[in-house]
Amino acid sequence: MSQDIREFITPFTELLGFGEPTHLEHAHTWIRNELFEQLTGLGFRSIALETCRIRGLAVNDYVHGGPGDLDTIMKEGFSHTFGENWPANRELVQWMREYNADKAPGDRLSFHGFDFQTETASAPSPRPYLEHARDYLGEDVDLTIDDEKWSRDEAVMDLTQSPGQSEEAIRLREIGTGMLRRLHERRTTDEAWARAETHLVAGLSLLQYHRECAEPNPLGVRLNRLCQMRDGVMARNLLEIRRAEAANGPTFVFAHNAHLQRTSSSMEMAGERVEWFSAGALVAPVLGDQYTVIGGTLGRNDSIGLGEPDKATFEGSLQDRFTTWGITKDEPEGARRTDTGSDPMLAMAYFPLDQHLMDGVDALLHIKVGRPATR
């Protein structure tokens, strides 16, 4: 790197974002680990990754010395298969647990997920999140629903299959809203209360997401609204994480560039042009100079430019291979994923460097060549 990470940290920095242009190459995840180790020496005490916030609670328990084994935590504590298929994430969790082992409580590192529980083409049932809050409140209310009906892909992409505006959904929203009111009437500062609120807000957000899925909108409008809802929840989660970590130190955030840049994001998906305000674009006006973001790019140095990337570069190769549904059999080393099938995520797998990204970040961290999945 041509500059030291310390050059991007000011006395005002509370949230330092670091992006990657694709989830299919592991180079930036290894660099992220190295940077976080440096940042802990500069007072950073937490990291937030693009993974489900609810699942991330189990990872945080583990890095603070809680029970469980690493294999189970990596499988159950991450969404999007980011625990099982991303070796750098495994290294990060293991290192954080070892780092915390001999530290006083105030010096320990915390792990957060800041993503919504959804993916553009799927969303889980809200039941377990509502039940967590119900049990905390000690209330006797039946929240039994058909989880499979809510969580199947058709419930998101086919409005006729969506339960989002059914009588069942209306009942759940009324129950959840009432529980949220009663929960806030009993506000405390203990961890159990905070987790109950996190679960309940997540459940209500899922109900809102499913409601949007039942709207009779054209595909392009549907995808725009769902992408915006996801990043809106991401932004809210980041601000809540900062409130929780304010007394401990700044937070390092790692995600796709499209979620962290200050400018709006866009992509081609299912033949539609989708545009939305990224989480970074939403938190930046709130945090001001407390938010700094570094974008990640790939390729040879001569691929840094605003025209078409050189197809001979790693950056050009990724753009060429991952712009259609599915994945070729000759993907670059480190990019292979298991059970991809016709995963729609692969249609948005790579975002090449352009002027829009450059306008939305404070700096670029460029990696000349890809690094393998394992060191």
Side-chain angles (χ1 to χ4, degrees), residues 11 71 103 142 204 224 374:
D71 288 339
K103 299 292 189 299
D142 184 10
L204 289 169
N224 268 287
T374 57

Side-chain angles (χ1 to χ4, degrees), residues 86-161:
W86 270 254
N89 287 345
R90 183 183 182 92
E91 179 187 85
L92 173 68
V93 172
Q94 188 172 19
W95 177 80
M96 289 179 68
R97 182 178 171 98
E98 293 171 355
Y99 179 95
N100 286 340
D102 60 352
K103 299 292 189 299
D107 294 327
R108 293 173 186 164
L109 307 177
S110 292
F111 178 98
H112 298 278
F114 74 97
D115 201 354
F116 199 13
Q117 299 91 299
T118 69
E119 197 44 81
T120 307
S122 63
S125 165
R127 177 192 54 78
Y129 310 104
L130 300 176
E131 287 185 342
H132 182 100
R134 177 202 63 186
D135 295 344
Y136 173 83
L137 290 167
E139 298 185 352
D140 182 16
V141 57
D142 184 10
L143 294 170
T144 303
I145 58 175
D146 183 353
D147 287 344
E148 192 277 332
K149 180 177 71 174
W150 284 79
S151 60
R152 59 189 176 183
D153 290 352
E154 293 83 357
V156 172
M157 302 307 295
D158 182 354
L159 69 92
T160 66
Q161 300 295 314

Side-chain angles (χ1 to χ4, degrees), residues 168-240:
E168 184 176 66
I170 294 172
R171 181 178 69 89
L172 291 177
R173 283 194 291 270
E174 290 176 349
I175 292 172
T177 301
M179 287 197 297
L180 186 61
R181 183 183 66 253
R182 293 187 292 277
L183 183 66
H184 279 255
E185 290 172 351
R186 296 169 49 179
R187 179 186 292 272
T188 70
T189 58
D190 68 287
E191 178 67 19
W193 186 94
R195 291 199 175 200
E197 184 196 39
T198 299
H199 279 78
L200 184 50
V201 170
L204 289 169
S205 296
L206 277 172
L207 285 168
Q208 182 181 1
Y209 193 87
H210 280 288
R211 181 177 182 176
E212 186 63 43
C213 293
E215 292 288 343
N217 291 316
L219 179 60
V221 175
R222 173 186 297 269
L223 293 175
N224 268 287
R225 291 188 176 182
L226 295 182
C227 286
Q228 187 58 75
M229 287 186 67
R230 182 186 177 195
D231 270 67
V233 173
M234 282 181 161
R236 183 187 67 205
N237 287 340
L238 283 174
L239 294 175
E240 290 178 353

Side-chain angles (χ1 to χ4, degrees), residues 20-25 256-257 267 296-299 303 309 313-323 345-353 366:
E20 61 178 353
T22 175
H23 292 318
L24 298 180
E25 212 295 320
H256 197 288
N257 288 332
M267 65 183 177
T297 60
L298 284 166
S303 72
T313 68
F314 194 85
E315 182 177 60
S317 175
L318 278 173
Q319 183 186 9
D320 187 47
R321 295 174 191 224
F322 298 127
T323 53
M345 280 297 291
L346 297 178
M348 51 181 138
Y350 178 70
F351 286 47
L353 175 67
H366 182 69

Side-chain angles (χ1 to χ4, degrees), residues 1-6 8 16-22 25-36 38-39 252-255 257 260 292-301 303-304 315 350-351 353 357-358 360-371:
M1 293 184 287
S2 61
Q3 292 174 267
D4 192 287
I5 191 67
R6 289 173 292 186
F8 299 98
L16 175 62
F18 175 38
E20 61 178 353
T22 175
E25 212 295 320
H26 296 262
H28 290 84
T29 58
W30 294 119
I31 296 294
R32 173 207 66 197
N33 288 1
E34 296 169 9
L35 289 176
F36 186 50
Q38 295 179 36
L39 291 170
F252 188 40
V253 184
F254 181 75
N257 288 332
L260 297 181
T292 298
V293 57
I294 300 170
T297 60
L298 284 166
R300 290 203 311 261
N301 280 342
S303 72
I304 290 290
E315 182 177 60
Y350 178 70
F351 286 47
L353 175 67
L357 173 62
M358 295 182 71
V361 298
D362 297 293
L364 292 171
L365 194 157
H366 182 69
I367 298 176
K368 292 183 180 180
V369 295
R371 298 175 66 178

